[in-house]
Each structure stands twice: as structure tokens, then as C-alpha cells.
């Protein structure tokens, strides 16, 4: 650490100048990067608009003493040469995708694949459900037929039982009707019959 007052002040001044110089260099790099991005995306009109702005930033850095004049000339020459080569067709631009765009496209493709698989699984599940319902309907139809057969047999059995009961009742009634006259005869008192006694024969008188 410096002990002299002027040395201390020089340290602070150098720090301030260093920050200003770094800001100027950052501006130059940002201007060049914008121009190169316009070229990489094949946006010639935007590149033509950004070229003079980049050259102005480079000249400003030279005037501030941040860049050497030869370094600045090389930078400007490279920028103008690249633009003229793209215009003349000497260089064909293949549009580059940054890592963020590539990652977004991959994520989109993966999401679409997942959605397609999900839709396919849903469709299969619906088909299985429909098939299950169809088989269930067939089974229930068979069970219903068996129930109906059983019910019909029970109804027929009830009819036969009812018919047998009716026949038994009719037979009972006829038997009662036949038995009724006999009971009447037994219950009615017999009329007294007056029989005429034959006259008794007279015994012959003994002499």
C-alpha cells in the first residue's frame, strides 16, 4: 500500500480510469456483437444499419485512447469486408441457432412426443374400455337369458301346481255332491209302514 498522499491519489485515479476504459471496451464489443448477429441471422438491412454505428463506437474508443488506431482500423475493415462478402454472395450464411433456441426446440420436440404418447395411450384405454363394456353386455345378456329361462320354468311350475289344485278342488266338490244325497237319506226319518196283519187261523175245535 502506498504511504504518500499523491501515490494514494494516483491509485484512485487509475481505478476510475480503468473502469471507464472497461466500459468503453464493453461498448465496442457490444456494437461488434450486434453487427455479427445481424449477419449470422442473414438480416442484411439490419447489418447495414449497424455498421456505421459500430464504426462510430470504435472511433470514439480510439479518440479516448482505449484502442490503438491500427487495431481500430483492422476491426472496421473486417466488419465492412464481411458485409460486402455476404452481399456479393462470396460467403453463404448458414443461420446459426444459439444454445437457448436449440434447448427450446429440443424441449418442444420432447413435449410433443410425450403428448403424442399420452394421446395414443388414452385412445388405447378408451378402446379397451369399449371392448370391456361390449363383453360385459354380452355376459349380462347371457345371464339375463338364464334368469328368464329360470323364471319361465318357475311360472310353468306354478301354473301346473295351480292347475292341480283346481282339479283337486273340483274333484272334492264332486265327491261332496255325490256324498250329499246319501247323507240326506240317512238323516231323514223313515215313514212308519202300517202292515195289515193276516188274520190268525182259528184252531180247530176238538170234539
Amino acid at each position: 500500500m502506498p504511504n504518500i498522499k499523491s501515490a494514494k491519489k494516483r491509485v484512485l485515479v487509475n481505478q476510475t480510469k480503468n473502469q471507464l476504459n472497461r466500459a468503453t471496451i464493453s461498448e465496442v464489443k457490444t456494437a461488434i456483437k450486434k453487427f455479427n448477429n445481424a449477419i449470422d441471422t442473414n438480416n442484411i438491412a439490419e447489418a447495414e444499419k449497424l455498421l456505421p454505428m459500430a464504426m462510430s463506437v470504435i472511433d470514439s474508443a480510439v479518440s479516448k485512447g482505449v484502442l490503438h488506431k491500427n487495431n481500430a482500423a483492422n476491426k472496421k475493415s473486417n466488419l465492412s469486408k464481411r458485409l460486402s462478402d455476404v452481399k456479393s454472395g462470396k460467403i453463404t450464411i448458414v443461420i446459426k441457432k444459439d444454445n437457448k433456441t436449440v434447448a427450446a426446440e429440443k424441449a418442444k420436440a420432447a413435449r410433443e412426443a410425450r403428448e403424442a404418447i399420452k394421446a395414443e395411450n388414452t385412445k388405447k384405454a378408451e378402446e379397451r374400455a369399449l371392448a370391456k363394456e361390449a363383453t360385459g353386455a354380452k355376459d349380462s345378456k347371457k345371464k339375463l337369458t338364464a334368469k328368464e329361462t329360470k323364471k319361465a320354468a318357475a311360472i310353468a311350475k306354478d301354473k301346473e301346481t295351480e292347475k292341480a289344485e283346481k282339479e283337486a278342488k273340483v274333484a272334492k266338490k264332486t265327491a261332496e255332491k255325490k256324498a250329499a244325497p246319501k247323507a240326506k237319506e240317512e238323516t231323514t226319518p223313515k215313514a212308519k209302514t202300517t202292515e195289515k196283519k193276516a188274520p190268525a187261523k182259528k184252531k180247530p175245535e176238538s170234539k
Side-chain angles (χ1 to χ4, degrees), residues 17-61:
K17 287 185 176 180
N18 187 19
Q19 289 176 359
L20 293 173
N21 292 340
R22 287 172 69 85
T24 305
I25 291 170
S26 178
E27 287 179 2
V28 171
K29 287 182 178 179
T30 302
I32 293 171
K33 188 176 180 181
K34 285 182 180 179
F35 174 80
N36 288 329
N37 285 335
I39 294 291
D40 291 337
T41 55
N42 205 12
N43 193 352
I44 306 302
E46 185 70 17
E48 288 178 348
K49 184 179 177 182
L50 291 172
L51 181 60
M53 294 171 66
M55 288 184 175
S56 174
V57 172
I58 292 169
D59 291 337
S60 175

Side-chain angles (χ1 to χ4, degrees), residues 64-99:
K64 290 176 182 178
V66 177
L67 287 178
H68 193 273
K69 60 180 180 179
N70 292 342
N71 188 2
N74 289 335
K75 288 182 184 298
K76 291 192 288 184
S77 175
N78 289 334
L79 294 177
S80 59
K81 184 175 183 299
R82 193 176 184 205
L83 181 60
S84 63
D85 288 344
V86 170
K87 280 184 175 181
S88 62
K90 192 174 181 179
I91 297 174
T92 55
I93 299 297
V94 178
I95 297 174
K96 296 179 181 179
K97 296 178 182 178
D98 57 349
N99 293 332

Side-chain angles (χ1 to χ4, degrees), residues 2-181:
N3 294 323
I4 302 170
K5 187 176 180 181
S6 61
K8 290 180 181 178
K9 186 177 181 182
R10 178 54 52 195
V11 170
L12 296 175
V13 170
N14 288 337
Q15 287 179 356
T16 305
K17 287 185 176 180
N18 187 19
Q19 289 176 359
L20 293 173
N21 292 340
R22 287 172 69 85
T24 305
I25 291 170
S26 178
E27 287 179 2
V28 171
K29 287 182 178 179
T30 302
I32 293 171
K33 188 176 180 181
K34 285 182 180 179
F35 174 80
N36 288 329
N37 285 335
I39 294 291
D40 291 337
T41 55
N42 205 12
N43 193 352
I44 306 302
E46 185 70 17
E48 288 178 348
K49 184 179 177 182
L50 291 172
L51 181 60
M53 294 171 66
M55 288 184 175
S56 174
V57 172
I58 292 169
D59 291 337
S60 175
V62 172
S63 65
K64 290 176 182 178
V66 177
L67 287 178
H68 193 273
K69 60 180 180 179
N70 292 342
N71 188 2
N74 289 335
K75 288 182 184 298
K76 291 192 288 184
S77 175
N78 289 334
L79 294 177
S80 59
K81 184 175 183 299
R82 193 176 184 205
L83 181 60
S84 63
D85 288 344
V86 170
K87 280 184 175 181
S88 62
K90 192 174 181 179
I91 297 174
T92 55
I93 299 297
V94 178
I95 297 174
K96 296 179 181 179
K97 296 178 182 178
D98 57 349
N99 293 332
K100 190 175 180 180
T101 307
V102 172
E105 288 180 354
K106 284 183 179 179
K108 186 178 179 181
R111 186 170 62 253
E112 289 177 353
R114 285 196 300 271
E115 288 176 355
I117 292 169
K118 189 176 179 181
E120 189 176 355
N121 290 336
T122 306
K123 188 177 180 182
K124 286 182 179 178
E126 289 177 355
E127 289 176 356
R128 284 197 298 270
L130 291 172
K132 192 174 181 181
E133 286 179 2
T135 53
K138 287 181 181 178
D139 293 339
S140 63
K141 193 173 181 181
K142 287 180 182 177
K143 288 178 183 177
L144 187 64
T145 308
K147 284 182 181 178
E148 287 179 351
T149 308
K150 194 174 181 180
K151 192 175 179 181
I155 291 169
K157 191 175 181 181
D158 291 339
K159 284 184 178 179
E160 288 178 0
T161 307
E162 190 177 352
K163 188 177 180 182
E165 287 178 356
K166 283 183 179 179
E167 288 178 355
K169 284 181 182 179
V170 171
K172 190 177 179 181
K173 283 183 180 180
T174 52
E176 287 176 355
K177 283 181 181 178
K178 286 180 181 179

